[in-house]
Amino acid sequence: LIVFDQDHRYVYANRTYAEICGLPLSAIVGQRVVDVLPELYEEQIASRLARAFAGERSVYELSIGERYYTVRYEPTEVDGSVKLVVVALTDITEERQAAQASSRLAAIVTSSTDAIIGKDLDGIITSWNGGAEKIFGFTAAEMVGNSILGLIPADRRAEEDRILSKIRRGECVDPFDTLRKTKDGGLIDVLVTSSPIKD
């Protein structure tokens, strides 16, 4: 947390901010930003502070080293004019890393030539990748929201009951060879593996 006055001087900074800057508090509080963070001041802070003192709130993301922060500028009015600007930095590194990991996993699933199909505990399809489209001939638009039973021959429906029963217990289903139906009505040999996805 930081508070600036109209001269772009630090009126207040907490210890967390000092740690982020790698400086003691005594080298920050009472100093002008341009003297503490000259490059960042010229690139980002000066223009944002100017807009904040004109009454504009703003939010943006900033990276410092390997950490990511959301930065909020909050103008504070006294007697109808902005006298101070409060700036709050929130560390979002873990959220950013989780989002990047999620994006990587999604890219792996999307680009896989294997059919990777997500379904809920009732057997309703929730996701359908490009591999599934190539193997079965159905598009995601045709399959998402429909039952997985549409792919299973009538004489093999008991397999799905066993799969869902194990998945509901949080167990993985060992790979097994079976048959599945394609869009043109043909049967293909497949190796099926099912695993629970836990929240």
Side-chain angles (χ1 to χ4, degrees):
L1 191 68
I2 321 147
V3 180
F4 295 111
D5 67 13
Q6 292 171 314
D7 294 325
H8 297 189
R9 192 177 301 277
Y10 291 96
V11 174
Y12 171 82
N14 65 5
R15 293 193 183 283
T16 304
Y17 180 75
E19 289 168 9
I20 291 169
C21 292
L23 296 168
L25 274 173
S26 59
I28 298 173
V29 177
Q31 304 300 312
R32 296 184 70 229
V33 192
V34 68
D35 298 322
V36 177
L37 301 170
E39 287 183 25
L40 203 55
Y41 179 78
E42 294 299 330
E43 291 172 6
Q44 298 181 23
I45 299 173
S47 59
R48 285 191 169 92
L49 274 178
R51 292 198 302 271
F53 278 106
E56 179 184 317
R57 287 183 171 89
S58 64
V59 180
Y60 70 103
E61 286 188 13
L62 171 69
S63 63
I64 300 174
E66 296 182 0
R67 313 268 333 151
Y68 294 91
Y69 301 88
T70 295
V71 185
R72 297 179 186 279
Y73 282 69
E74 291 287 340
T76 304
E77 289 188 13
V78 177
D79 298 328
S81 64
V82 178
K83 302 292 186 189
L84 299 170
V85 171
V86 178
V87 180
L89 281 80
T90 304
D91 192 327
I92 58 166
T93 305
E94 282 73 25
E95 292 90 336
R96 173 66 74 87
Q97 289 170 341
Q100 289 171 342
S102 180
S103 293
R104 280 194 296 274
L105 288 174
I108 290 168
V109 169
T110 301
S111 62
S112 176
T113 56
D114 290 330
I116 301 175
I117 304 166
K119 62 184 177 186
D120 66 17
L121 295 179
D122 295 317
I124 302 301
I125 295 169
T126 58
S127 62
W128 182 267
N129 76 337
E133 186 171 327
K134 287 178 186 167
I135 290 170
F136 294 106
F138 296 99
T139 65
E142 291 174 298
M143 295 307 292
V144 171
N146 292 310
S147 174
I148 194 78
L149 293 176
L151 299 176
I152 302 175
D155 63 341
R156 295 187 179 249
R157 297 275 170 98
E159 292 175 355
E160 183 62 10
D161 293 336
R162 285 193 302 274
I163 289 170
L164 289 176
S165 177
K166 287 191 111 178
I167 294 296
R168 286 186 186 108
R169 294 193 303 266
E171 300 173 13
C172 291
V173 177
D174 292 331
F176 66 95
D177 292 308
T178 189
L179 296 172
R180 291 295 182 258
K181 293 191 299 189
T182 60
K183 186 174 183 176
D184 64 12
L187 295 177
I188 56 171
D189 294 302
V190 295
L191 177 70
V192 173
T193 303
S194 295
S195 302
I197 298 174
K198 300 179 182 180
D199 185 346

